[in-house]
Amino acid sequence: MKLDEFLRLNAPEDLAALTAAIAKTSIDVWDSVPFKSGLLTETNPSGETQKAIDVYSNDAFVEALTSTGLVAEVASEEMEEPASSKGSVSVAMDPLDGSSNVETNNPLGSIFGFYSRKLPASGRRLVGALYVTYGTMVTLTFSFGKGVHRFVAVREGGAMPFQLLGVNLRLPDKAEVYGFGGSRREWVPEVAAFWHSLEGKGLRNRYCGTFVGDYNQVLSRGGIFSYPALVKKPRGKLRVLFECAPMAFINEQAGGYASDGSGNILDIEPRALAETSPLYIGSADLVREVENAVSKR
Ligand code: F6P
Ligand code: MN
């Protein structure tokens, strides 16, 4: 089944239009990667150096989303202030997750949260979320609150429409993989102890350094991804609005759980657009175990 048909049958009209716009733009972004990997001197609000592809993907998605006439605002990891428009849905996005991995050709991603309130807002205000993988395949994985569904881009003449790969995706019962960001010596000790226990539980370490890629394998194979609390950075690295909450929404729809170490990621009420949080996400039993250890700190 093609994406447009699926969306017509299974999605609210506004989210269907926004998803279609993202799908089309994701192919433009993917096509542009080899041509736009030169460094710019500007930095984004979190202090990371922007590359041309970061700017390109940000502008392309802002344009695609606002031109639907359906969004009230688009907040982005790459912009200090949201772009406002005339519709009613607020979109928070990480337009190119893992962009430091361009040269090494590791997977990249894009993350979108669709909120029913002005931003910043809690994950409980999400009405849908979506992520794109630019890896072996370009895929869209999304939920509008009724299961998680996945599409893959396939060449058809000059175009790359999306075809259905799977509906109602669930985290498998048996957990197989784990991937933790940051340096081991910087993690809080409870995280290091939990990490050491994972091999004993039969899981394998698989880490590519792009949140979307590292989470995507957890959804398929079961397990846990974390960018944990660090001793010197107790609020971690990943942004609540742009990264943690949208992925937590999808993960929960797939039967998993996502925590900040003390409670559900979706319950965080961020006060600023770029607020960060430690993140433990994936199979519910593993996430509860690390949450239990970390919350006793
Ligand atoms: O967006 C931040 C990011 O690039 C994530 O995609 C990734 O999970 C994380 O940083 C990796 O950070 P580190 O290099 O510290 O492990
Ligand atoms: Mn990111």
PDB file of all heavy atoms in Angstrom, residues 261-290:
ATOM      1  N   GLY A 261      14.744   8.789  34.207  1.00  0.00           N
ATOM      2  CA  GLY A 261      15.454   8.304  35.389  1.00  0.00           C
ATOM      3  C   GLY A 261      14.612   8.450  36.646  1.00  0.00           C
ATOM      4  O   GLY A 261      14.901   7.843  37.665  1.00  0.00           O
ATOM      5  N   SER A 262      13.541   9.267  36.548  1.00  0.00           N
ATOM      6  CA  SER A 262      12.660   9.361  37.717  1.00  0.00           C
ATOM      7  C   SER A 262      11.204   9.157  37.344  1.00  0.00           C
ATOM      8  O   SER A 262      10.367   8.897  38.197  1.00  0.00           O
ATOM      9  CB  SER A 262      12.851  10.697  38.432  1.00  0.00           C
ATOM     10  OG  SER A 262      12.489  11.750  37.581  1.00  0.00           O
ATOM     11  N   GLY A 263      10.869   9.263  36.090  1.00  0.00           N
ATOM     12  CA  GLY A 263       9.482   9.078  35.663  1.00  0.00           C
ATOM     13  C   GLY A 263       9.385   9.089  34.144  1.00  0.00           C
ATOM     14  O   GLY A 263      10.403   9.151  33.445  1.00  0.00           O
ATOM     15  N   ASN A 264       8.129   9.032  33.679  1.00  0.00           N
ATOM     16  CA  ASN A 264       7.877   8.958  32.235  1.00  0.00           C
ATOM     17  C   ASN A 264       8.333  10.245  31.532  1.00  0.00           C
ATOM     18  O   ASN A 264       7.986  11.357  31.960  1.00  0.00           O
ATOM     19  CB  ASN A 264       6.373   8.745  32.024  1.00  0.00           C
ATOM     20  CG  ASN A 264       6.050   8.262  30.631  1.00  0.00           C
ATOM     21  OD1 ASN A 264       6.615   8.726  29.647  1.00  0.00           O
ATOM     22  ND2 ASN A 264       5.122   7.318  30.535  1.00  0.00           N
ATOM     23  N   ILE A 265       9.092  10.089  30.458  1.00  0.00           N
ATOM     24  CA  ILE A 265       9.547  11.239  29.651  1.00  0.00           C
ATOM     25  C   ILE A 265       8.359  12.107  29.230  1.00  0.00           C
ATOM     26  O   ILE A 265       8.457  13.336  29.172  1.00  0.00           O
ATOM     27  CB  ILE A 265      10.285  10.722  28.383  1.00  0.00           C
ATOM     28  CG1 ILE A 265      11.675  10.212  28.723  1.00  0.00           C
ATOM     29  CG2 ILE A 265      10.322  11.771  27.277  1.00  0.00           C
ATOM     30  CD1 ILE A 265      12.711  11.283  28.989  1.00  0.00           C
ATOM     31  N   LEU A 266       7.220  11.453  28.952  1.00  0.00           N
ATOM     32  CA  LEU A 266       6.062  12.185  28.436  1.00  0.00           C
ATOM     33  C   LEU A 266       5.452  13.118  29.486  1.00  0.00           C
ATOM     34  O   LEU A 266       4.679  14.006  29.153  1.00  0.00           O
ATOM     35  CB  LEU A 266       5.003  11.209  27.904  1.00  0.00           C
ATOM     36  CG  LEU A 266       5.471  10.362  26.718  1.00  0.00           C
ATOM     37  CD1 LEU A 266       4.437   9.296  26.369  1.00  0.00           C
ATOM     38  CD2 LEU A 266       5.738  11.244  25.498  1.00  0.00           C
ATOM     39  N   ASP A 267       5.806  12.930  30.750  1.00  0.00           N
ATOM     40  CA  ASP A 267       5.272  13.791  31.809  1.00  0.00           C
ATOM     41  C   ASP A 267       6.103  15.049  32.037  1.00  0.00           C
ATOM     42  O   ASP A 267       5.696  15.919  32.807  1.00  0.00           O
ATOM     43  CB  ASP A 267       5.172  13.019  33.135  1.00  0.00           C
ATOM     44  CG  ASP A 267       4.040  12.012  33.106  1.00  0.00           C
ATOM     45  OD1 ASP A 267       3.020  12.293  32.446  1.00  0.00           O
ATOM     46  OD2 ASP A 267       4.188  10.935  33.723  1.00  0.00           O
ATOM     47  N   ILE A 268       7.271  15.135  31.419  1.00  0.00           N
ATOM     48  CA  ILE A 268       8.109  16.329  31.618  1.00  0.00           C
ATOM     49  C   ILE A 268       7.394  17.555  31.042  1.00  0.00           C
ATOM     50  O   ILE A 268       6.857  17.499  29.939  1.00  0.00           O
ATOM     51  CB  ILE A 268       9.489  16.172  30.929  1.00  0.00           C
ATOM     52  CG1 ILE A 268      10.256  14.998  31.547  1.00  0.00           C
ATOM     53  CG2 ILE A 268      10.305  17.452  31.025  1.00  0.00           C
ATOM     54  CD1 ILE A 268      11.569  14.692  30.829  1.00  0.00           C
ATOM     55  N   GLU A 269       7.394  18.634  31.822  1.00  0.00           N
ATOM     56  CA  GLU A 269       6.840  19.920  31.336  1.00  0.00           C
ATOM     57  C   GLU A 269       8.021  20.821  31.035  1.00  0.00           C
ATOM     58  O   GLU A 269       8.498  21.533  31.919  1.00  0.00           O
ATOM     59  CB  GLU A 269       5.976  20.586  32.427  1.00  0.00           C
ATOM     60  CG  GLU A 269       4.764  19.819  32.857  1.00  0.00           C
ATOM     61  CD  GLU A 269       3.522  20.132  32.010  1.00  0.00           C
ATOM     62  OE1 GLU A 269       3.634  20.977  31.086  1.00  0.00           O
ATOM     63  OE2 GLU A 269       2.488  19.515  32.268  1.00  0.00           O
ATOM     64  N   PRO A 270       8.549  20.807  29.821  1.00  0.00           N
ATOM     65  CA  PRO A 270       9.750  21.603  29.554  1.00  0.00           C
ATOM     66  C   PRO A 270       9.439  23.094  29.657  1.00  0.00           C
ATOM     67  O   PRO A 270       8.378  23.542  29.246  1.00  0.00           O
ATOM     68  CB  PRO A 270      10.142  21.216  28.122  1.00  0.00           C
ATOM     69  CG  PRO A 270       8.961  20.544  27.536  1.00  0.00           C
ATOM     70  CD  PRO A 270       8.051  20.109  28.633  1.00  0.00           C
ATOM     71  N   ARG A 271      10.389  23.819  30.244  1.00  0.00           N
ATOM     72  CA  ARG A 271      10.178  25.266  30.383  1.00  0.00           C
ATOM     73  C   ARG A 271      10.810  26.038  29.229  1.00  0.00           C
ATOM     74  O   ARG A 271      10.457  27.165  28.950  1.00  0.00           O
ATOM     75  CB  ARG A 271      10.739  25.754  31.713  1.00  0.00           C
ATOM     76  CG  ARG A 271       9.803  25.466  32.884  1.00  0.00           C
ATOM     77  CD  ARG A 271      10.369  26.021  34.164  1.00  0.00           C
ATOM     78  NE  ARG A 271      11.677  25.428  34.440  1.00  0.00           N
ATOM     79  CZ  ARG A 271      11.862  24.390  35.259  1.00  0.00           C
ATOM     80  NH1 ARG A 271      10.843  23.850  35.882  1.00  0.00           N
ATOM     81  NH2 ARG A 271      13.060  23.888  35.460  1.00  0.00           N
ATOM     82  N   ALA A 272      11.782  25.394  28.580  1.00  0.00           N
ATOM     83  CA  ALA A 272      12.449  26.059  27.451  1.00  0.00           C
ATOM     84  C   ALA A 272      12.462  25.106  26.260  1.00  0.00           C
ATOM     85  O   ALA A 272      12.414  23.883  26.430  1.00  0.00           O
ATOM     86  CB  ALA A 272      13.875  26.420  27.844  1.00  0.00           C
ATOM     87  N   LEU A 273      12.542  25.676  25.072  1.00  0.00           N
ATOM     88  CA  LEU A 273      12.512  24.849  23.854  1.00  0.00           C
ATOM     89  C   LEU A 273      13.666  23.851  23.827  1.00  0.00           C
ATOM     90  O   LEU A 273      13.505  22.724  23.386  1.00  0.00           O
ATOM     91  CB  LEU A 273      12.577  25.736  22.606  1.00  0.00           C
ATOM     92  CG  LEU A 273      11.363  26.627  22.330  1.00  0.00           C
ATOM     93  CD1 LEU A 273      11.648  27.555  21.151  1.00  0.00           C
ATOM     94  CD2 LEU A 273      10.123  25.791  22.051  1.00  0.00           C
ATOM     95  N   ALA A 274      14.837  24.288  24.278  1.00  0.00           N
ATOM     96  CA  ALA A 274      16.024  23.429  24.132  1.00  0.00           C
ATOM     97  C   ALA A 274      16.340  22.630  25.406  1.00  0.00           C
ATOM     98  O   ALA A 274      17.424  22.072  25.528  1.00  0.00           O
ATOM     99  CB  ALA A 274      17.226  24.279  23.734  1.00  0.00           C
ATOM    100  N   GLU A 275      15.367  22.549  26.335  1.00  0.00           N
ATOM    101  CA  GLU A 275      15.616  21.803  27.593  1.00  0.00           C
ATOM    102  C   GLU A 275      16.019  20.355  27.295  1.00  0.00           C
ATOM    103  O   GLU A 275      15.445  19.710  26.425  1.00  0.00           O
ATOM    104  CB  GLU A 275      14.337  21.833  28.437  1.00  0.00           C
ATOM    105  CG  GLU A 275      14.535  21.292  29.831  1.00  0.00           C
ATOM    106  CD  GLU A 275      13.314  21.562  30.717  1.00  0.00           C
ATOM    107  OE1 GLU A 275      12.825  22.717  30.747  1.00  0.00           O
ATOM    108  OE2 GLU A 275      12.846  20.613  31.354  1.00  0.00           O
ATOM    109  N   THR A 276      17.012  19.875  28.043  1.00  0.00           N
ATOM    110  CA  THR A 276      17.480  18.497  27.813  1.00  0.00           C
ATOM    111  C   THR A 276      17.019  17.579  28.948  1.00  0.00           C
ATOM    112  O   THR A 276      16.572  18.044  29.991  1.00  0.00           O
ATOM    113  CB  THR A 276      19.023  18.445  27.742  1.00  0.00           C
ATOM    114  OG1 THR A 276      19.546  18.861  29.010  1.00  0.00           O
ATOM    115  CG2 THR A 276      19.567  19.320  26.625  1.00  0.00           C
ATOM    116  N   SER A 277      17.169  16.277  28.700  1.00  0.00           N
ATOM    117  CA  SER A 277      16.823  15.287  29.726  1.00  0.00           C
ATOM    118  C   SER A 277      17.675  14.046  29.526  1.00  0.00           C
ATOM    119  O   SER A 277      17.978  13.684  28.387  1.00  0.00           O
ATOM    120  CB  SER A 277      15.347  14.897  29.583  1.00  0.00           C
ATOM    121  OG  SER A 277      15.063  13.778  30.403  1.00  0.00           O
ATOM    122  N   PRO A 278      18.025  13.364  30.642  1.00  0.00           N
ATOM    123  CA  PRO A 278      18.577  12.020  30.460  1.00  0.00           C
ATOM    124  C   PRO A 278      17.489  11.171  29.797  1.00  0.00           C
ATOM    125  O   PRO A 278      16.303  11.440  30.009  1.00  0.00           O
ATOM    126  CB  PRO A 278      18.838  11.530  31.885  1.00  0.00           C
ATOM    127  CG  PRO A 278      18.600  12.679  32.787  1.00  0.00           C
ATOM    128  CD  PRO A 278      17.815  13.712  32.053  1.00  0.00           C
ATOM    129  N   LEU A 279      17.870  10.184  29.033  1.00  0.00           N
ATOM    130  CA  LEU A 279      16.860   9.353  28.353  1.00  0.00           C
ATOM    131  C   LEU A 279      17.230   7.890  28.448  1.00  0.00           C
ATOM    132  O   LEU A 279      18.364   7.498  28.132  1.00  0.00           O
ATOM    133  CB  LEU A 279      16.759   9.764  26.869  1.00  0.00           C
ATOM    134  CG  LEU A 279      15.824   8.896  26.010  1.00  0.00           C
ATOM    135  CD1 LEU A 279      14.364   9.053  26.436  1.00  0.00           C
ATOM    136  CD2 LEU A 279      15.966   9.246  24.522  1.00  0.00           C
ATOM    137  N   TYR A 280      16.261   7.082  28.890  1.00  0.00           N
ATOM    138  CA  TYR A 280      16.370   5.621  28.900  1.00  0.00           C
ATOM    139  C   TYR A 280      15.123   5.142  28.172  1.00  0.00           C
ATOM    140  O   TYR A 280      14.009   5.392  28.642  1.00  0.00           O
ATOM    141  CB  TYR A 280      16.416   5.096  30.345  1.00  0.00           C
ATOM    142  CG  TYR A 280      17.419   5.852  31.199  1.00  0.00           C
ATOM    143  CD1 TYR A 280      17.032   6.987  31.923  1.00  0.00           C
ATOM    144  CD2 TYR A 280      18.762   5.477  31.232  1.00  0.00           C
ATOM    145  CE1 TYR A 280      17.953   7.721  32.668  1.00  0.00           C
ATOM    146  CE2 TYR A 280      19.684   6.204  31.980  1.00  0.00           C
ATOM    147  CZ  TYR A 280      19.279   7.316  32.689  1.00  0.00           C
ATOM    148  OH  TYR A 280      20.193   8.037  33.413  1.00  0.00           O
ATOM    149  N   ILE A 281      15.279   4.482  27.027  1.00  0.00           N
ATOM    150  CA  ILE A 281      14.121   4.191  26.171  1.00  0.00           C
ATOM    151  C   ILE A 281      14.246   2.805  25.545  1.00  0.00           C
ATOM    152  O   ILE A 281      15.335   2.391  25.161  1.00  0.00           O
ATOM    153  CB  ILE A 281      13.977   5.292  25.080  1.00  0.00           C
ATOM    154  CG1 ILE A 281      12.725   5.078  24.220  1.00  0.00           C
ATOM    155  CG2 ILE A 281      15.212   5.397  24.201  1.00  0.00           C
ATOM    156  CD1 ILE A 281      12.402   6.272  23.289  1.00  0.00           C
ATOM    157  N   GLY A 282      13.116   2.097  25.476  1.00  0.00           N
ATOM    158  CA  GLY A 282      13.112   0.787  24.815  1.00  0.00           C
ATOM    159  C   GLY A 282      12.183  -0.177  25.517  1.00  0.00           C
ATOM    160  O   GLY A 282      11.074   0.198  25.926  1.00  0.00           O
ATOM    161  N   SER A 283      12.652  -1.412  25.687  1.00  0.00           N
ATOM    162  CA  SER A 283      11.836  -2.460  26.302  1.00  0.00           C
ATOM    163  C   SER A 283      11.500  -2.063  27.738  1.00  0.00           C
ATOM    164  O   SER A 283      12.391  -1.675  28.513  1.00  0.00           O
ATOM    165  CB  SER A 283      12.596  -3.790  26.297  1.00  0.00           C
ATOM    166  OG  SER A 283      12.931  -4.147  24.969  1.00  0.00           O
ATOM    167  N   ALA A 284      10.222  -2.196  28.107  1.00  0.00           N
ATOM    168  CA  ALA A 284       9.739  -1.635  29.370  1.00  0.00           C
ATOM    169  C   ALA A 284      10.480  -2.193  30.591  1.00  0.00           C
ATOM    170  O   ALA A 284      10.851  -1.431  31.488  1.00  0.00           O
ATOM    171  CB  ALA A 284       8.239  -1.876  29.497  1.00  0.00           C
ATOM    172  N   ASP A 285      10.739  -3.513  30.633  1.00  0.00           N
ATOM    173  CA  ASP A 285      11.347  -4.077  31.847  1.00  0.00           C
ATOM    174  C   ASP A 285      12.772  -3.548  32.056  1.00  0.00           C
ATOM    175  O   ASP A 285      13.177  -3.237  33.182  1.00  0.00           O
ATOM    176  CB  ASP A 285      11.309  -5.619  31.820  1.00  0.00           C
ATOM    177  CG  ASP A 285      11.826  -6.198  30.517  1.00  0.00           C
ATOM    178  OD1 ASP A 285      12.033  -5.429  29.546  1.00  0.00           O
ATOM    179  OD2 ASP A 285      12.052  -7.421  30.463  1.00  0.00           O
ATOM    180  N   LEU A 286      13.539  -3.393  30.990  1.00  0.00           N
ATOM    181  CA  LEU A 286      14.912  -2.881  31.121  1.00  0.00           C
ATOM    182  C   LEU A 286      14.908  -1.410  31.549  1.00  0.00           C
ATOM    183  O   LEU A 286      15.698  -0.991  32.396  1.00  0.00           O
ATOM    184  CB  LEU A 286      15.666  -3.027  29.792  1.00  0.00           C
ATOM    185  CG  LEU A 286      16.016  -4.456  29.375  1.00  0.00           C
ATOM    186  CD1 LEU A 286      16.547  -4.470  27.946  1.00  0.00           C
ATOM    187  CD2 LEU A 286      17.045  -5.067  30.333  1.00  0.00           C
ATOM    188  N   VAL A 287      14.009  -0.637  30.952  1.00  0.00           N
ATOM    189  CA  VAL A 287      13.956   0.791  31.285  1.00  0.00           C
ATOM    190  C   VAL A 287      13.528   0.967  32.749  1.00  0.00           C
ATOM    191  O   VAL A 287      14.085   1.794  33.477  1.00  0.00           O
ATOM    192  CB  VAL A 287      13.028   1.553  30.313  1.00  0.00           C
ATOM    193  CG1 VAL A 287      12.865   3.012  30.747  1.00  0.00           C
ATOM    194  CG2 VAL A 287      13.571   1.478  28.889  1.00  0.00           C
ATOM    195  N   ARG A 288      12.574   0.146  33.200  1.00  0.00           N
ATOM    196  CA  ARG A 288      12.143   0.242  34.609  1.00  0.00           C
ATOM    197  C   ARG A 288      13.292  -0.131  35.543  1.00  0.00           C
ATOM    198  O   ARG A 288      13.444   0.453  36.615  1.00  0.00           O
ATOM    199  CB  ARG A 288      10.945  -0.658  34.874  1.00  0.00           C
ATOM    200  CG  ARG A 288       9.732  -0.248  34.069  1.00  0.00           C
ATOM    201  CD  ARG A 288       8.479  -0.104  34.929  1.00  0.00           C
ATOM    202  NE  ARG A 288       7.364   0.285  34.085  1.00  0.00           N
ATOM    203  CZ  ARG A 288       6.821   1.487  34.042  1.00  0.00           C
ATOM    204  NH1 ARG A 288       7.277   2.438  34.842  1.00  0.00           N
ATOM    205  NH2 ARG A 288       5.824   1.759  33.229  1.00  0.00           N
ATOM    206  N   GLU A 289      14.094  -1.093  35.127  1.00  0.00           N
ATOM    207  CA  GLU A 289      15.212  -1.526  35.975  1.00  0.00           C
ATOM    208  C   GLU A 289      16.240  -0.398  36.151  1.00  0.00           C
ATOM    209  O   GLU A 289      16.651  -0.102  37.273  1.00  0.00           O
ATOM    210  CB  GLU A 289      15.869  -2.760  35.345  1.00  0.00           C
ATOM    211  CG  GLU A 289      16.866  -3.425  36.265  1.00  0.00           C
ATOM    212  CD  GLU A 289      17.537  -4.627  35.622  1.00  0.00           C
ATOM    213  OE1 GLU A 289      16.902  -5.334  34.805  1.00  0.00           O
ATOM    214  OE2 GLU A 289      18.730  -4.840  35.948  1.00  0.00           O
ATOM    215  N   VAL A 290      16.617   0.249  35.052  1.00  0.00           N
ATOM    216  CA  VAL A 290      17.606   1.330  35.174  1.00  0.00           C
ATOM    217  C   VAL A 290      16.990   2.538  35.880  1.00  0.00           C
ATOM    218  O   VAL A 290      17.632   3.215  36.674  1.00  0.00           O
ATOM    219  CB  VAL A 290      18.266   1.680  33.806  1.00  0.00           C
ATOM    220  CG1 VAL A 290      17.319   2.319  32.837  1.00  0.00           C
ATOM    221  CG2 VAL A 290      19.489   2.568  34.017  1.00  0.00           C
TER     222      VAL A 290
END
